[in-house]
Amino acid sequence: DAGVIQSPRHEVTEMGQEVTLRCKPISGHNSLFWYRQTMMRGLELLIYFNNNVPIDDSGMPEDRFSAKMPNASFSTLKIQPSEPRDSAVYFCASSLARSNLYGYTFGSGTRLTVV
Amino acid sequence: DQQVKQNSPSLSVQEGRISILNCDYTNSMFDYFLWYKKYPAEGPTFLISISSIKDKNEDGRFTVFLNKSAKHLSLHIVPSQPGDSAVYFCAASGSGTNAGKSTFGDGTTLTVKP
């Protein structure tokens, strides 16, 4: 397995533009997580899915952020419109549901810069 | 309110010596605790975990200790190697409706000097 695959690795966009981040989880994993890492707030959970269903989106900063998981092998995180304060590294991770002792498998992240 | 805290932003040790990374938590509902290692430009990698019914878990050079009464856990690396230089994140998760959802600390940057 190639692990969790995120694309793009880097994204530079202008304020106001729509940004879509993509994630392919590990086959067989039924939980998927979107995290954001910033210097100020560290690693914060944005949203997570179990069996393609959003379970907790309380970490989504505001309505400009949305996430979908149309099937078990694909998820997107969309920001519309983007703002400079959205600049961060966005990580996708997957795991077997409720496997608390086995941890997540993270992707390499998408570094987003909004100018 | 930060529920998982790593109070030391950085730690430097000599190769061959012990590295001890510390983590404190405030939520008594956490049942599982994990450590991740992160290299630059990569995602965190799961390292070792422990459930709240244990006080120690060992995997090779890595040992995690849990003190529930103090709400404190630590990661010991013995002996430390230069390749261990990375950012280490402590994470905690609960059970029931919060099963599988992890809260992370801010990380500690470990530097192992040759």
Side-chain angles (χ1 to χ4, degrees):
Chain A
D1 200 323
V4 175
I5 300 173
Q6 291 187 247
S7 63
R9 286 298 307 270
H10 302 274
E11 177 79 35
V12 180
T13 191
E14 291 186 347
M15 182 174 63
Q17 296 297 306
E18 176 180 300
V19 175
T20 299
L21 311 182
R22 296 172 176 79
C23 175
K24 176 179 168 54
I26 288 179
S27 177
H29 281 186
N30 46 8
S31 289
L32 183 138
F33 307 83
W34 283 100
Y35 279 83
R36 177 171 70 174
Q37 185 182 28
T38 61
M39 290 293 292
M40 292 297 294
R41 300 175 68 87
L43 265 170
E44 54 179 339
L45 177 66
L46 300 178
I47 185 171
Y48 81 97
F49 297 83
N50 274 350
N51 296 317
N52 314 338
V53 176
I55 301 300
D56 185 346
D57 65 353
S58 60
M60 296 286 261
E62 47 199 272
D63 292 345
R64 297 185 298 107
F65 285 69
S66 62
K68 294 182 180 180
M69 192 165 186
N71 56 61
S73 59
F74 185 65
S75 177
T76 59
L77 179 67
K78 185 178 293 186
I79 309 172
Q80 164 66 12
S82 58
E83 297 182 3
R85 60 188 166 132
D86 301 330
S87 298
V89 180
Y90 291 80
F91 288 104
C92 175
S94 70
S95 73
L96 290 169
R98 302 180 185 274
S99 60
N100 290 294
L101 288 175
Y102 300 102
Y104 302 162
T105 302
F106 280 83
S108 297
T110 294
R111 181 174 293 277
L112 173 65
T113 303
V114 183
V115 297
Chain B
D1 175 32
Q2 193 168 13
Q3 298 186 63
V4 178
K5 296 182 182 180
Q6 295 176 255
N7 291 318
S8 298
S10 62
L11 174 69
S12 181
V13 299
Q14 208 66 35
E15 181 179 6
R17 306 295 290 269
I18 184 171
S19 295
I20 300 176
L21 298 104
N22 293 302
C23 178
D24 297 295
Y25 63 96
T26 58
N27 190 339
S28 58
M29 300 301 290
F30 287 141
D31 288 327
Y32 303 94
F33 304 90
L34 307 94
W35 286 94
Y36 290 80
K37 178 169 72 174
K38 183 183 182 303
Y39 293 120
E42 295 182 11
T45 302
F46 169 69
L47 197 54
I48 191 170
S49 64
I50 189 169
S51 75
S52 59
I53 62 173
K54 293 188 173 183
D55 55 16
K56 176 182 174 181
N57 187 30
E58 189 172 355
D59 183 3
R61 296 185 298 115
F62 302 91
T63 303
V64 56
F65 294 92
L66 175 63
N67 183 334
K68 280 194 69 177
S69 60
K71 293 190 177 65
H72 176 84
L73 65 153
S74 59
L75 175 68
H76 293 210
I77 306 174
V78 183
S80 301
Q81 300 173 353
D84 296 329
S85 296
V87 178
Y88 288 79
F89 290 97
C90 169
S93 63
S95 52
T97 56
N98 288 317
K101 169 183 168 181
S102 286
T103 300
F104 284 78
D106 287 341
T108 296
T109 300
L110 172 65
T111 302
V112 180
K113 298 180 179 180

